[in-house]
Amino acid sequence: MLLVLAGEQSVAQSTNTFKSRIFHELDFDKPGKQLGYLRVPQSRDGGAWSTIEIPIAVVNGGKGPAALFTGGVHGDEYEGQIAISRLARRLDPASVKGKIVMLPAVDLPAALAGRRMCPIDGRDFNRCMPGDAGGSFCQMLAHFIETAIMPQVDVSIDVHSAGNSMEAALCSIMHWVDDAKVIERTKALAENFAAPFNVVFWGVDETATVAASAERHGTLSISTEIGGYGRVRPDAVRIAERGLENVLKWMGIIDGKPDITQPAGGRTRQMMVRDQGSYLFAPSNGLFEPLFVPEQKIRAGELAGYLHFVEEWAREPQPVEFPIDGYIWMAPGSGRVKQGDVMAVIMQDYSPA
Ligand SMILES: [Zn+2]
């Protein structure tokens, strides 16, 4: 197979004129199933022309909508890596109408290290979009996804699971956007992904994420936060696998009706985190003892936990209270917190006003 470069490459002296330094052997328009790699150049001691090979699958069944499924954007979040690679191996292009592009371990070096931050360049991949063709490893890869993949898909599902530092209620997530129609369409996508919760949220730092890239391209998009604490939850893997297949059915890419049933009955519960008033930030450095778990119902003014100061053994722990009523969306997983770290995020039932 011919080596295909990412778009027309114009290599000039300035890095800003690169289309991409990443190369691959995939043909996104070719019918059938291709399991391959994006080759990201990574010159190193002992490997002048070395590349880091990022797994990618394209399943193309001809005319129809196109979906992008990404996992391992954070290396310490595992359910998406399992669910997407399993789906890529299993999908038969003969049963597909349209196209599915799957990257089960986007930040592969971080995934292999079980870390949030990329060990190659120290970056959080989900803070690198739209990337830079002449930038670091994560920036190059982000630029490729932004310019070569996102424009060709109608829907994007980015599977996260909160990582080592937090544990989340089992949920899909989406941003507040100005367009009410986009909000409703995205909520419908989430209801068909069918995690127990869907959270329309205000985030601390969301402009450079994969979800933000999808929004820039007008691509219908949700992410997830299923589980966390750097482990694999069996129920979260099942939610991811069913959810991805549900979305393919809902889009008409594969046959069948989405299974959107919930163990507790009803449908996905639509929630929101409207602004920073829903976040409990650490008032000082310390060891946080939480008195709550994800999905727990809580009240404003209720005791959330204690900050302990182990180096000052005679000092009483500092009590910390919840700022608003609601349910725990994110609980902390790291024990030690620094001033300004998030110790809890509270979700409430969705209301558009
Ligand atoms: Zn993540």
Side-chain angles (χ1 to χ4, degrees), residues 74 77 116 160-162 225:
H74 291 135
E77 303 174 13
R116 177 180 183 86
H160 289 248
S161 39
E225 296 293 355

Side-chain angles (χ1 to χ4, degrees), residues 73-84:
V73 160
H74 291 135
D76 57 348
E77 303 174 13
Y78 303 106
E79 288 83 352
Q81 300 178 40
I82 294 169
I84 295 169

Side-chain angles (χ1 to χ4, degrees), residues 223-243:
S223 304
T224 73
E225 296 293 355
I226 38 174
Y229 288 168
R231 71 197 193 288
V232 179
R233 273 184 68 153
D235 51 351
V237 175
R238 285 196 295 277
I239 287 167
E241 290 187 324
R242 185 182 77 158

Side-chain angles (χ1 to χ4, degrees), residues 171-189:
C171 64
S172 54
I173 59 171
M174 54 185 271
H175 291 148
W176 287 102
V177 290
D178 286 338
D179 189 330
K181 275 190 189 152
V182 172
I183 291 254
E184 286 314 307
R185 177 95 175 131
T186 312
K187 281 171 66 194
L189 168 65

Side-chain angles (χ1 to χ4, degrees), residues 53-251:
E53 298 186 328
I54 307 300
I56 180 169
V58 182
V59 180
N60 191 330
K63 260 196 154 168
L68 169 64
F69 294 160
T70 43
V73 160
H74 291 135
D76 57 348
E77 303 174 13
Y78 303 106
E79 288 83 352
Q81 300 178 40
I82 294 169
I84 295 169
S85 52
R86 186 175 280 153
L87 182 69
R89 289 191 296 272
R90 199 185 67 229
L91 271 176
D92 175 3
S95 63
V96 169
K97 294 182 218 63
K99 178 166 59 178
I100 310 146
V101 180
M102 287 164 278
L103 288 101
V106 171
D107 189 345
L108 183 74
L112 296 179
R115 291 178 53 187
R116 177 180 183 86
M117 311 303 278
C118 179
I120 304 286
D121 61 11
R123 291 179 183 272
D124 175 340
F125 183 88
N126 215 27
R127 303 292 182 272
C128 286
M129 304 296 285
D132 178 353
S136 71
F137 170 79
C138 284
Q139 289 173 319
M140 271 193 271
L141 191 52
H143 174 267
F144 184 88
I145 291 174
E146 175 88 19
T147 58
I149 298 182
M150 203 57 87
Q152 54 173 314
V153 298
D154 303 293
V155 66
S156 161
I157 313 287
D158 188 25
V159 183
H160 289 248
S161 39
N164 289 329
S165 69
M166 298 219 250
E167 181 174 45
L170 297 169
C171 64
S172 54
I173 59 171
M174 54 185 271
H175 291 148
W176 287 102
V177 290
D178 286 338
D179 189 330
K181 275 190 189 152
V182 172
I183 291 254
E184 286 314 307
R185 177 95 175 131
T186 312
K187 281 171 66 194
L189 168 65
E191 186 172 292
N192 281 279
F193 182 88
F197 296 94
N198 177 54
V199 184
V200 185
F201 83 112
W202 176 90
V204 169
D205 182 13
E206 288 295 315
T207 53
T209 61
V210 172
S213 167
E215 285 156 17
R216 269 195 295 279
H217 288 86
T219 303
L220 193 62
S221 151
I222 54 171
S223 304
T224 73
E225 296 293 355
I226 38 174
Y229 288 168
R231 71 197 193 288
V232 179
R233 273 184 68 153
D235 51 351
V237 175
R238 285 196 295 277
I239 287 167
E241 290 187 324
R242 185 182 77 158
L244 296 173
E245 214 168 298
N246 275 352
V247 168
L248 294 179
K249 290 173 180 169
W250 185 64
M251 298 286 292

